[in-house]
Amino acid sequence: MWKSTVVEHHRLREDIAVVRLIGDAVPFRPGEYVTVTVPQAPHAPRLLSPALPPSLDGKLEFHVRAVPGGWVSGSIVADTRPGDIWQIDAPAGGHLHIDDSGRDVVLIAGGTGLAPLRALILDMLRNPNPPRTYLFIGGRSPRDLYAADMLTLLADELPWLTVIPVVERIDDPKRPDDWHEYTRVDIGFGEEQYLAGRLPEVVAEHGPFLDHQVLLCGSPGMTSVTIDRLVAGGTPFENIRFDSV
């Protein structure tokens, strides 16, 4: 069991918060999740995925969404304060990892499923020759892409990273509800674009990913549908690694 102290609580929107902590160095691997116990709910631990790779100085970051009926997640988003002590235990998971094969990487994030994938991207900065990486991040509207701006800035600095935001609709009265003015990204050659549609279908349209590492993290429903679409489109199931949040 490790202890970590909240140093920053930043509410990005009504239902999503970024919580930054510092404390004991937790020995997890990028892409894993840990068991977290917060003072607002001391008898109800939750699984959360760090959004930073492990560091010797004990820095941690979590992205938390208040789910309907989730009183623990809601309390973390609304009531966390600097100085709160969190208990961290039992790193687990390990499904989300990038091997050293050098194969291109396709990352697919729904909602706060972005957190472990962001940790993997930041960890790849330590690699002198990281693989070509494509990050699809999806939401119902642009406001659901809570970290898209930060990721786009990161991609501007990293020639091996392409960030591809995907939204089902756009909240703009000047655009029709059925807008579809953007085209697919040519995996391996294309430029970053803003795509319209449902994330599982948009990603599958860019396949099949016959020689890619495909990592997927999102809600159980989104994860299941995306896997089905990818496999139906010819992506080998064994190429896909996934976790749900």
Side-chain angles (χ1 to χ4, degrees), residues 8-28:
E8 184 179 350
H9 172 261
H10 183 45
R11 201 160 178 173
L12 298 180
R13 16 178 272 203
E14 189 66 22
D15 61 340
I16 290 181
V18 170
V19 183
R20 297 187 176 98
L21 308 94
I22 192 164
D24 297 333
V26 182
F28 66 94

mmCIF file of all heavy atoms in Angstrom, residues 8-28:
data_model
loop_
_atom_site.group_PDB
_atom_site.id
_atom_site.type_symbol
_atom_site.label_atom_id
_atom_site.label_comp_id
_atom_site.label_asym_id
_atom_site.label_seq_id
_atom_site.Cartn_x
_atom_site.Cartn_y
_atom_site.Cartn_z
ATOM 1 N N GLU A 8 -3.310 18.937 -6.797
ATOM 2 C CA GLU A 8 -4.113 19.743 -7.723
ATOM 3 C C GLU A 8 -5.368 18.989 -8.116
ATOM 4 O O GLU A 8 -5.322 17.783 -8.395
ATOM 5 C CB GLU A 8 -3.300 20.088 -8.976
ATOM 6 C CG GLU A 8 -4.024 20.998 -9.951
ATOM 7 C CD GLU A 8 -3.186 21.333 -11.160
ATOM 8 O OE1 GLU A 8 -1.973 21.028 -11.162
ATOM 9 O OE2 GLU A 8 -3.737 21.907 -12.119
ATOM 10 N N HIS A 9 -6.475 19.685 -8.113
ATOM 11 C CA HIS A 9 -7.756 19.139 -8.564
ATOM 12 C C HIS A 9 -8.330 20.128 -9.563
ATOM 13 O O HIS A 9 -8.685 21.245 -9.201
ATOM 14 C CB HIS A 9 -8.696 18.937 -7.378
ATOM 15 C CG HIS A 9 -10.095 18.549 -7.770
ATOM 16 N ND1 HIS A 9 -11.140 19.463 -7.845
ATOM 17 C CD2 HIS A 9 -10.623 17.349 -8.108
ATOM 18 C CE1 HIS A 9 -12.243 18.828 -8.202
ATOM 19 N NE2 HIS A 9 -11.972 17.553 -8.371
ATOM 20 N N HIS A 10 -8.365 19.725 -10.821
ATOM 21 C CA HIS A 10 -8.780 20.625 -11.889
ATOM 22 C C HIS A 10 -10.025 20.051 -12.550
ATOM 23 O O HIS A 10 -9.973 18.985 -13.176
ATOM 24 C CB HIS A 10 -7.659 20.788 -12.917
ATOM 25 C CG HIS A 10 -7.970 21.743 -14.015
ATOM 26 N ND1 HIS A 10 -8.537 22.971 -13.807
ATOM 27 C CD2 HIS A 10 -7.800 21.645 -15.366
ATOM 28 C CE1 HIS A 10 -8.706 23.602 -14.954
ATOM 29 N NE2 HIS A 10 -8.278 22.811 -15.918
ATOM 30 N N ARG A 11 -11.127 20.751 -12.397
ATOM 31 C CA ARG A 11 -12.387 20.282 -12.972
ATOM 32 C C ARG A 11 -12.501 20.792 -14.397
ATOM 33 O O ARG A 11 -12.700 21.981 -14.640
ATOM 34 C CB ARG A 11 -13.547 20.783 -12.114
ATOM 35 C CG ARG A 11 -14.817 19.989 -12.279
ATOM 36 C CD ARG A 11 -15.720 20.216 -11.086
ATOM 37 N NE ARG A 11 -16.973 19.522 -11.217
ATOM 38 C CZ ARG A 11 -17.880 19.456 -10.248
ATOM 39 N NH1 ARG A 11 -17.623 20.036 -9.087
ATOM 40 N NH2 ARG A 11 -19.013 18.805 -10.439
ATOM 41 N N LEU A 12 -12.366 19.882 -15.357
ATOM 42 C CA LEU A 12 -12.384 20.273 -16.755
ATOM 43 C C LEU A 12 -13.782 20.622 -17.234
ATOM 44 O O LEU A 12 -13.953 21.487 -18.085
ATOM 45 C CB LEU A 12 -11.808 19.155 -17.614
ATOM 46 C CG LEU A 12 -10.345 18.788 -17.344
ATOM 47 C CD1 LEU A 12 -9.924 17.668 -18.266
ATOM 48 C CD2 LEU A 12 -9.439 19.991 -17.528
ATOM 49 N N ARG A 13 -14.770 19.903 -16.713
ATOM 50 C CA ARG A 13 -16.163 20.179 -16.990
ATOM 51 C C ARG A 13 -16.966 19.644 -15.815
ATOM 52 O O ARG A 13 -16.387 19.192 -14.827
ATOM 53 C CB ARG A 13 -16.663 19.559 -18.301
ATOM 54 C CG ARG A 13 -15.839 18.497 -18.907
ATOM 55 C CD ARG A 13 -16.429 17.934 -20.155
ATOM 56 N NE ARG A 13 -17.333 16.828 -19.876
ATOM 57 C CZ ARG A 13 -17.633 15.888 -20.762
ATOM 58 N NH1 ARG A 13 -17.156 15.946 -21.964
ATOM 59 N NH2 ARG A 13 -18.436 14.902 -20.450
ATOM 60 N N GLU A 14 -18.263 19.697 -15.886
ATOM 61 C CA GLU A 14 -19.087 19.335 -14.740
ATOM 62 C C GLU A 14 -18.838 17.903 -14.279
ATOM 63 O O GLU A 14 -18.886 17.606 -13.081
ATOM 64 C CB GLU A 14 -20.569 19.514 -15.098
ATOM 65 C CG GLU A 14 -21.517 19.372 -13.932
ATOM 66 C CD GLU A 14 -21.370 20.473 -12.886
ATOM 67 O OE1 GLU A 14 -20.860 21.559 -13.226
ATOM 68 O OE2 GLU A 14 -21.762 20.234 -11.736
ATOM 69 N N ASP A 15 -18.543 17.003 -15.219
ATOM 70 C CA ASP A 15 -18.456 15.593 -14.858
ATOM 71 C C ASP A 15 -17.058 14.995 -15.004
ATOM 72 O O ASP A 15 -16.906 13.777 -14.857
ATOM 73 C CB ASP A 15 -19.436 14.771 -15.701
ATOM 74 C CG ASP A 15 -19.146 14.858 -17.196
ATOM 75 O OD1 ASP A 15 -18.461 15.817 -17.605
ATOM 76 O OD2 ASP A 15 -19.605 13.975 -17.948
ATOM 77 N N ILE A 16 -16.033 15.790 -15.290
ATOM 78 C CA ILE A 16 -14.683 15.257 -15.454
ATOM 79 C C ILE A 16 -13.689 16.123 -14.696
ATOM 80 O O ILE A 16 -13.735 17.349 -14.774
ATOM 81 C CB ILE A 16 -14.273 15.180 -16.938
ATOM 82 C CG1 ILE A 16 -15.073 14.093 -17.662
ATOM 83 C CG2 ILE A 16 -12.781 14.863 -17.077
ATOM 84 C CD1 ILE A 16 -14.709 13.930 -19.127
ATOM 85 N N ALA A 17 -12.792 15.467 -13.976
ATOM 86 C CA ALA A 17 -11.746 16.177 -13.248
ATOM 87 C C ALA A 17 -10.408 15.487 -13.477
ATOM 88 O O ALA A 17 -10.331 14.260 -13.645
ATOM 89 C CB ALA A 17 -12.047 16.227 -11.751
ATOM 90 N N VAL A 18 -9.353 16.292 -13.493
ATOM 91 C CA VAL A 18 -7.990 15.788 -13.484
ATOM 92 C C VAL A 18 -7.454 15.981 -12.067
ATOM 93 O O VAL A 18 -7.527 17.076 -11.510
ATOM 94 C CB VAL A 18 -7.103 16.537 -14.491
ATOM 95 C CG1 VAL A 18 -5.639 16.170 -14.298
ATOM 96 C CG2 VAL A 18 -7.539 16.229 -15.908
ATOM 97 N N VAL A 19 -6.967 14.892 -11.490
ATOM 98 C CA VAL A 19 -6.427 14.937 -10.125
ATOM 99 C C VAL A 19 -4.943 14.591 -10.189
ATOM 100 O O VAL A 19 -4.574 13.530 -10.699
ATOM 101 C CB VAL A 19 -7.160 13.953 -9.199
ATOM 102 C CG1 VAL A 19 -6.628 14.075 -7.768
ATOM 103 C CG2 VAL A 19 -8.672 14.188 -9.227
ATOM 104 N N ARG A 20 -4.110 15.493 -9.678
ATOM 105 C CA ARG A 20 -2.662 15.272 -9.645
ATOM 106 C C ARG A 20 -2.221 15.100 -8.202
ATOM 107 O O ARG A 20 -2.683 15.822 -7.312
ATOM 108 C CB ARG A 20 -1.925 16.433 -10.318
ATOM 109 C CG ARG A 20 -2.272 16.577 -11.800
ATOM 110 C CD ARG A 20 -1.407 17.617 -12.510
ATOM 111 N NE ARG A 20 -1.711 17.646 -13.940
ATOM 112 C CZ ARG A 20 -2.524 18.531 -14.507
ATOM 113 N NH1 ARG A 20 -3.093 19.474 -13.768
ATOM 114 N NH2 ARG A 20 -2.759 18.492 -15.804
ATOM 115 N N LEU A 21 -1.329 14.130 -8.000
ATOM 116 C CA LEU A 21 -0.868 13.796 -6.658
ATOM 117 C C LEU A 21 0.640 13.628 -6.665
ATOM 118 O O LEU A 21 1.263 13.446 -7.721
ATOM 119 C CB LEU A 21 -1.516 12.499 -6.159
ATOM 120 C CG LEU A 21 -3.041 12.371 -6.215
ATOM 121 C CD1 LEU A 21 -3.481 11.686 -7.506
ATOM 122 C CD2 LEU A 21 -3.568 11.597 -5.012
ATOM 123 N N ILE A 22 1.211 13.623 -5.477
ATOM 124 C CA ILE A 22 2.621 13.298 -5.317
ATOM 125 C C ILE A 22 2.794 12.566 -3.991
ATOM 126 O O ILE A 22 2.139 12.893 -2.998
ATOM 127 C CB ILE A 22 3.508 14.561 -5.398
ATOM 128 C CG1 ILE A 22 4.975 14.181 -5.521
ATOM 129 C CG2 ILE A 22 3.262 15.498 -4.229
ATOM 130 C CD1 ILE A 22 5.862 15.322 -5.981
ATOM 131 N N GLY A 23 3.634 11.555 -4.002
ATOM 132 C CA GLY A 23 3.820 10.756 -2.796
ATOM 133 C C GLY A 23 4.762 9.607 -3.054
ATOM 134 O O GLY A 23 5.776 9.756 -3.749
ATOM 135 N N ASP A 24 4.410 8.439 -2.527
ATOM 136 C CA ASP A 24 5.246 7.258 -2.717
ATOM 137 C C ASP A 24 5.335 6.907 -4.204
ATOM 138 O O ASP A 24 4.389 7.112 -4.963
ATOM 139 C CB ASP A 24 4.656 6.065 -1.970
ATOM 140 C CG ASP A 24 4.607 6.281 -0.460
ATOM 141 O OD1 ASP A 24 5.439 7.057 0.050
ATOM 142 O OD2 ASP A 24 3.732 5.676 0.195
ATOM 143 N N ALA A 25 6.476 6.387 -4.604
ATOM 144 C CA ALA A 25 6.658 5.929 -5.984
ATOM 145 C C ALA A 25 5.956 4.583 -6.149
ATOM 146 O O ALA A 25 6.380 3.580 -5.571
ATOM 147 C CB ALA A 25 8.136 5.820 -6.318
ATOM 148 N N VAL A 26 4.887 4.561 -6.908
ATOM 149 C CA VAL A 26 4.092 3.347 -7.099
ATOM 150 C C VAL A 26 4.666 2.553 -8.280
ATOM 151 O O VAL A 26 4.805 3.090 -9.379
ATOM 152 C CB VAL A 26 2.613 3.703 -7.360
ATOM 153 C CG1 VAL A 26 1.781 2.429 -7.511
ATOM 154 C CG2 VAL A 26 2.063 4.585 -6.235
ATOM 155 N N PRO A 27 4.977 1.290 -8.078
ATOM 156 C CA PRO A 27 5.630 0.499 -9.138
ATOM 157 C C PRO A 27 4.652 -0.125 -10.130
ATOM 158 O O PRO A 27 4.506 -1.342 -10.217
ATOM 159 C CB PRO A 27 6.359 -0.586 -8.345
ATOM 160 C CG PRO A 27 5.483 -0.822 -7.162
ATOM 161 C CD PRO A 27 4.894 0.532 -6.816
ATOM 162 N N PHE A 28 3.985 0.713 -10.910
ATOM 163 C CA PHE A 28 3.089 0.202 -11.940
ATOM 164 C C PHE A 28 3.762 0.366 -13.302
ATOM 165 O O PHE A 28 4.799 1.024 -13.445
ATOM 166 C CB PHE A 28 1.750 0.959 -11.913
ATOM 167 C CG PHE A 28 1.863 2.411 -12.293
ATOM 168 C CD1 PHE A 28 1.659 2.825 -13.597
ATOM 169 C CD2 PHE A 28 2.172 3.372 -11.340
ATOM 170 C CE1 PHE A 28 1.766 4.165 -13.954
ATOM 171 C CE2 PHE A 28 2.271 4.714 -11.679
ATOM 172 C CZ PHE A 28 2.080 5.104 -12.994
#
